Amino acid sequence: KTSRQQLGNSMEPFPLDEQPTIGVAVKNLFAVLLSEQFADLATLHKCSRLVLGLVNTLQLTDPVQKGLDCPQGEHESGLQRLDFLARYAHAHRLQLLLRSKGAKITQLLGRSYLQVTLPDLRAHIQQQVEAQAEAVRDISDHVLEFVDRLAASVQQQQDDAAARRDGEEGAQEDGHFSVRPLPLSTLVWGTNIDAQLQQRAEARKVATEQRAQAQTQAVLDLVSNMQQQQQQ
Protein backbone atom coordinates (compact mmCIF):
# COMPACT_ATOMS: atom_id res chain seq x y z
CA LYS A 1 0.00 0.00 0.00
CA THR A 2 1.40 3.38 -1.00
CA SER A 3 1.97 5.75 1.91
CA ARG A 4 2.66 9.47 2.15
CA GLN A 5 6.11 8.73 3.54
CA GLN A 6 6.98 6.56 0.52
CA LEU A 7 6.05 9.39 -1.83
CA GLY A 8 8.15 11.90 0.07
CA ASN A 9 8.67 15.33 -1.49
CA SER A 10 6.82 14.35 -4.63
CA MET A 11 3.62 15.37 -2.82
CA GLU A 12 4.66 18.98 -2.28
CA PRO A 13 3.04 21.58 -2.33
CA PHE A 14 0.25 19.42 -0.92
CA PRO A 15 0.94 18.91 2.80
CA LEU A 16 2.08 15.44 3.81
CA ASP A 17 0.11 15.66 7.03
CA GLU A 18 -3.08 17.26 5.71
CA GLN A 19 -6.11 15.81 7.44
CA PRO A 20 -8.78 14.82 6.90
CA THR A 21 -8.33 13.12 3.55
CA ILE A 22 -10.72 13.80 0.69
CA GLY A 23 -12.46 10.50 1.35
CA VAL A 24 -13.18 11.40 4.97
CA ALA A 25 -14.30 14.92 4.02
CA VAL A 26 -16.83 13.61 1.49
CA LYS A 27 -18.22 11.27 4.16
CA ASN A 28 -18.53 14.26 6.49
CA LEU A 29 -20.37 16.23 3.80
CA PHE A 30 -22.65 13.22 3.32
CA ALA A 31 -23.55 13.35 7.03
CA VAL A 32 -24.13 17.12 6.95
CA LEU A 33 -26.42 16.95 3.91
CA LEU A 34 -28.29 13.98 5.31
CA SER A 35 -29.00 15.96 8.48
CA GLU A 36 -30.28 18.82 6.29
CA GLN A 37 -32.57 16.42 4.36
CA PHE A 38 -30.80 17.53 1.19
CA ALA A 39 -31.79 14.26 -0.51
CA ASP A 40 -32.70 10.69 0.34
CA LEU A 41 -30.08 8.24 1.54
CA ALA A 42 -29.72 6.42 -1.79
CA THR A 43 -29.19 9.66 -3.73
CA LEU A 44 -26.56 10.88 -1.29
CA HIS A 45 -24.74 7.54 -1.52
CA LYS A 46 -24.68 7.80 -5.32
CA CYS A 47 -23.45 11.40 -5.25
CA SER A 48 -20.69 10.50 -2.80
CA ARG A 49 -19.56 7.46 -4.76
CA LEU A 50 -19.53 9.39 -8.04
CA VAL A 51 -17.44 12.23 -6.61
CA LEU A 52 -14.95 9.91 -4.89
CA GLY A 53 -14.66 7.75 -7.97
CA LEU A 54 -13.99 10.72 -10.24
CA VAL A 55 -11.38 12.21 -7.90
CA ASN A 56 -9.50 8.92 -8.26
CA THR A 57 -10.03 8.35 -11.98
CA LEU A 58 -10.68 11.64 -13.79
CA GLN A 59 -7.68 12.58 -15.92
CA LEU A 60 -6.65 16.19 -15.35
CA THR A 61 -6.05 18.37 -18.40
CA ASP A 62 -2.50 18.76 -19.62
CA PRO A 63 -1.12 21.81 -17.72
CA VAL A 64 -0.18 23.67 -20.91
CA GLN A 65 -3.65 23.13 -22.35
CA LYS A 66 -5.17 24.12 -18.99
CA GLY A 67 -3.41 27.47 -19.22
CA LEU A 68 -4.84 28.01 -22.70
CA ASP A 69 -8.35 26.87 -21.77
CA CYS A 70 -8.51 29.01 -18.63
CA PRO A 71 -7.03 32.47 -19.33
CA GLN A 72 -6.00 34.77 -16.51
CA GLY A 73 -8.95 36.23 -14.64
CA GLU A 74 -9.71 39.93 -14.62
CA HIS A 75 -8.97 40.24 -10.90
CA GLU A 76 -6.20 37.63 -10.84
CA SER A 77 -2.68 38.99 -10.36
CA GLY A 78 0.29 37.69 -12.30
CA LEU A 79 1.69 36.02 -9.18
CA GLN A 80 -1.65 34.37 -8.43
CA ARG A 81 -1.79 33.10 -12.00
CA LEU A 82 1.69 31.61 -11.83
CA ASP A 83 0.93 30.04 -8.47
CA PHE A 84 -2.22 28.39 -9.78
CA LEU A 85 -0.53 27.03 -12.90
CA ALA A 86 2.38 25.68 -10.84
CA ARG A 87 0.05 23.97 -8.38
CA TYR A 88 -2.07 22.54 -11.20
CA ALA A 89 1.00 21.17 -12.97
CA HIS A 90 2.12 19.55 -9.75
CA ALA A 91 -1.34 18.07 -9.17
CA HIS A 92 -1.22 16.65 -12.70
CA ARG A 93 2.17 15.01 -12.11
CA LEU A 94 1.14 13.71 -8.71
CA GLN A 95 -2.05 12.21 -10.12
CA LEU A 96 -0.06 10.24 -12.69
CA LEU A 97 2.42 9.11 -10.02
CA LEU A 98 -0.26 7.87 -7.64
CA ARG A 99 -2.06 5.97 -10.38
CA SER A 100 1.18 4.32 -11.47
CA LYS A 101 1.52 3.00 -7.93
CA GLY A 102 -2.08 1.86 -7.71
CA ALA A 103 -2.84 4.37 -4.93
CA LYS A 104 -6.13 6.17 -4.35
CA ILE A 105 -5.99 9.94 -4.25
CA THR A 106 -8.98 10.11 -1.91
CA GLN A 107 -7.09 8.10 0.72
CA LEU A 108 -3.86 10.12 0.56
CA LEU A 109 -4.62 13.74 -0.28
CA GLY A 110 -6.71 16.44 1.32
CA ARG A 111 -8.12 19.90 0.94
CA SER A 112 -5.18 21.52 -0.87
CA TYR A 113 -5.28 19.05 -3.76
CA LEU A 114 -9.04 19.28 -4.10
CA GLN A 115 -8.93 23.08 -4.13
CA VAL A 116 -6.85 22.94 -7.32
CA THR A 117 -8.64 20.10 -9.10
CA LEU A 118 -12.31 20.45 -8.11
CA PRO A 119 -13.20 22.81 -11.00
CA ASP A 120 -12.17 20.08 -13.47
CA LEU A 121 -14.29 17.53 -11.66
CA ARG A 122 -17.32 19.81 -11.62
CA ALA A 123 -16.96 20.60 -15.33
CA HIS A 124 -16.86 16.89 -16.11
CA ILE A 125 -20.01 16.20 -14.07
CA GLN A 126 -21.73 19.19 -15.70
CA GLN A 127 -21.04 17.65 -19.09
CA GLN A 128 -22.44 14.32 -17.92
CA VAL A 129 -25.60 15.97 -16.60
CA GLU A 130 -26.13 17.89 -19.83
CA ALA A 131 -25.59 14.70 -21.84
CA GLN A 132 -27.90 12.76 -19.50
CA ALA A 133 -25.18 10.18 -19.01
CA GLU A 134 -26.11 6.94 -17.29
CA ALA A 135 -23.77 7.61 -14.35
CA VAL A 136 -25.69 10.71 -13.27
CA ARG A 137 -29.17 10.05 -14.63
CA ASP A 138 -30.70 9.17 -11.25
CA ILE A 139 -28.96 12.00 -9.37
CA SER A 140 -28.91 14.81 -11.94
CA ASP A 141 -31.10 17.01 -9.73
CA HIS A 142 -28.65 16.83 -6.82
CA VAL A 143 -25.12 15.96 -7.88
CA LEU A 144 -24.02 19.42 -9.05
CA GLU A 145 -25.26 21.03 -5.85
CA PHE A 146 -23.47 18.28 -3.91
CA VAL A 147 -20.23 19.25 -5.66
CA ASP A 148 -20.92 22.95 -5.13
CA ARG A 149 -21.37 22.39 -1.39
CA LEU A 150 -18.08 20.51 -1.34
CA ALA A 151 -16.44 23.37 -3.25
CA ALA A 152 -17.87 25.90 -0.79
CA SER A 153 -16.33 23.98 2.09
CA VAL A 154 -12.96 23.90 0.31
CA GLN A 155 -12.89 27.55 -0.67
CA GLN A 156 -13.91 29.13 2.61
CA GLN A 157 -10.94 31.26 3.59
CA GLN A 158 -11.12 30.81 7.36
CA ASP A 159 -8.25 29.84 9.57
CA ASP A 160 -8.80 27.43 12.45
CA ALA A 161 -9.05 30.18 15.02
CA ALA A 162 -11.69 32.07 13.03
CA ALA A 163 -13.63 28.87 12.46
CA ARG A 164 -13.60 28.17 16.18
CA ARG A 165 -14.81 31.70 16.89
CA ASP A 166 -17.64 31.28 14.40
CA GLY A 167 -18.65 28.09 16.17
CA GLU A 168 -18.00 29.45 19.65
CA GLU A 169 -20.66 28.35 22.07
CA GLY A 170 -22.37 30.60 24.55
CA ALA A 171 -22.18 33.82 22.57
CA GLN A 172 -23.99 36.81 24.01
CA GLU A 173 -25.93 38.64 21.34
CA ASP A 174 -28.09 41.60 22.42
CA GLY A 175 -28.34 40.11 25.89
CA HIS A 176 -29.54 36.72 24.65
CA PHE A 177 -27.57 33.49 24.94
CA SER A 178 -27.24 31.68 21.62
CA VAL A 179 -25.26 28.98 19.80
CA ARG A 180 -23.80 30.11 16.50
CA PRO A 181 -23.80 27.60 13.63
CA LEU A 182 -20.52 25.93 12.73
CA PRO A 183 -19.14 26.88 9.30
CA LEU A 184 -19.51 24.28 6.57
CA SER A 185 -15.71 24.12 6.27
CA THR A 186 -15.45 23.11 9.93
CA LEU A 187 -18.10 20.40 9.59
CA VAL A 188 -16.61 18.93 6.43
CA TRP A 189 -12.88 19.38 7.04
CA GLY A 190 -12.75 19.16 10.82
CA THR A 191 -10.62 16.35 12.22
CA ASN A 192 -13.00 15.32 15.01
CA ILE A 193 -16.58 15.96 13.92
CA ASP A 194 -18.13 13.69 16.59
CA ALA A 195 -16.46 15.68 19.36
CA GLN A 196 -17.52 18.98 17.83
CA LEU A 197 -21.12 17.86 17.49
CA GLN A 198 -21.10 16.59 21.08
CA GLN A 199 -19.81 19.96 22.26
CA ARG A 200 -22.56 21.68 20.31
CA ALA A 201 -25.20 19.42 21.84
CA GLU A 202 -23.93 20.30 25.29
CA ALA A 203 -23.79 23.99 24.38
CA ARG A 204 -27.40 23.90 23.15
CA LYS A 205 -28.42 22.39 26.47
CA VAL A 206 -26.66 25.20 28.33
CA ALA A 207 -28.23 27.78 25.99
CA THR A 208 -31.70 26.34 26.62
CA GLU A 209 -31.17 26.45 30.38
CA GLN A 210 -29.90 30.03 30.18
CA ARG A 211 -32.92 31.13 28.15
CA ALA A 212 -35.29 29.35 30.55
CA GLN A 213 -33.64 31.08 33.51
CA ALA A 214 -33.87 34.44 31.76
CA GLN A 215 -37.56 33.91 31.00
CA THR A 216 -38.26 32.86 34.58
CA GLN A 217 -36.44 35.91 35.91
CA ALA A 218 -38.40 38.15 33.54
CA VAL A 219 -41.69 36.75 34.88
CA LEU A 220 -40.54 37.21 38.49
CA ASP A 221 -39.49 40.78 37.76
CA LEU A 222 -42.85 41.47 36.14
CA VAL A 223 -44.75 40.07 39.13
CA SER A 224 -42.57 42.04 41.52
CA ASN A 225 -43.21 45.27 39.62
CA MET A 226 -46.97 44.64 39.62
CA GLN A 227 -46.96 44.03 43.37
CA GLN A 228 -45.01 47.23 43.98
CA GLN A 229 -47.49 49.21 41.87
CA GLN A 230 -50.43 47.73 43.81
CA GLN A 231 -48.82 48.68 47.13
CA GLN A 232 -48.41 52.24 45.95
Side-chain angles (χ1 to χ4, degrees):
K1 182 178 180 180
T2 304
S3 68
R4 292 167 178 259
Q5 288 72 25
Q6 288 173 327
L7 291 170
N9 291 333
S10 63
M11 291 185 68
E12 296 296 344
F14 307 110
L16 298 176
D17 58 349
E18 191 167 29
Q19 294 291 333
T21 61
I22 296 169
V24 172
V26 170
K27 290 178 182 178
N28 289 339
L29 178 62
F30 173 97
V32 170
L33 295 182
L34 185 63
S35 69
E36 295 178 359
Q37 297 183 332
F38 168 81
D40 60 71
L41 189 63
T43 297
L44 280 171
H45 270 302
K46 290 179 180 179
C47 289
S48 299
R49 286 198 299 268
L50 178 69
V51 169
L52 290 173
L54 284 175
V55 170
N56 286 322
T57 62
L58 181 63
Q59 178 62 53
L60 295 177
T61 305
D62 177 82
V64 175
Q65 187 62 44
K66 182 69 174 180
L68 296 174
D69 293 342
C70 301
Q72 183 174 342
E74 181 180 354
H75 302 292
E76 184 181 24
S77 70
L79 287 176
Q80 289 173 328
R81 178 65 173 174
L82 290 174
D83 179 68
F84 167 74
L85 292 176
R87 290 171 65 82
Y88 189 90
H90 192 91
H92 184 270
R93 292 194 299 270
L94 182 55
Q95 180 190 69
L96 296 177
L97 174 63
L98 290 174
R99 287 181 180 169
S100 70
K101 294 179 177 294
K104 287 188 176 181
I105 292 172
T106 52
Q107 295 177 356
L108 287 172
L109 301 181
R111 183 173 181 167
S112 297
Y113 177 85
L114 200 59
Q115 188 172 22
V116 174
T117 60
L118 196 56
D120 283 32
L121 184 143
R122 192 195 189 283
H124 178 77
I125 293 177
Q126 176 75 49
Q127 292 173 355
Q128 288 190 317
V129 169
E130 293 175 351
Q132 297 185 337
E134 181 67 29
V136 300
R137 189 167 299 163
D138 295 338
I139 56 175
S140 58
D141 292 337
H142 297 91
V143 66
L144 285 175
E145 187 174 352
F146 183 98
V147 176
D148 288 341
R149 293 293 297 276
L150 181 60
S153 75
V154 170
Q155 294 165 358
Q156 282 179 346
Q157 298 300 315
Q158 294 174 310
D159 59 25
D160 291 341
R164 283 195 295 271
R165 286 197 299 272
D166 286 345
E168 205 170 53
E169 315 302 350
Q172 291 286 345
E173 296 179 355
D174 299 327
H176 297 287
F177 192 90
S178 64
V179 179
R180 298 191 187 118
L182 286 171
L184 181 63
S185 59
T186 300
L187 291 171
V188 174
W189 296 96
T191 55
N192 195 338
I193 298 301
D194 290 340
Q196 292 181 25
L197 293 179
Q198 178 62 32
Q199 290 174 359
R200 286 185 62 72
E202 293 172 357
R204 286 194 184 95
K205 181 179 178 181
V206 172
T208 300
E209 293 173 353
Q210 291 262 352
R211 284 193 293 270
Q213 291 174 2
Q215 291 170 355
T216 300
Q217 188 61 49
V219 172
L220 292 175
D221 291 343
L222 178 61
V223 171
S224 177
N225 291 335
M226 292 176 63
Q227 290 175 342
Q228 289 177 6
Q229 291 175 1
Q230 289 175 355
Q231 290 174 358
Q232 294 174 356

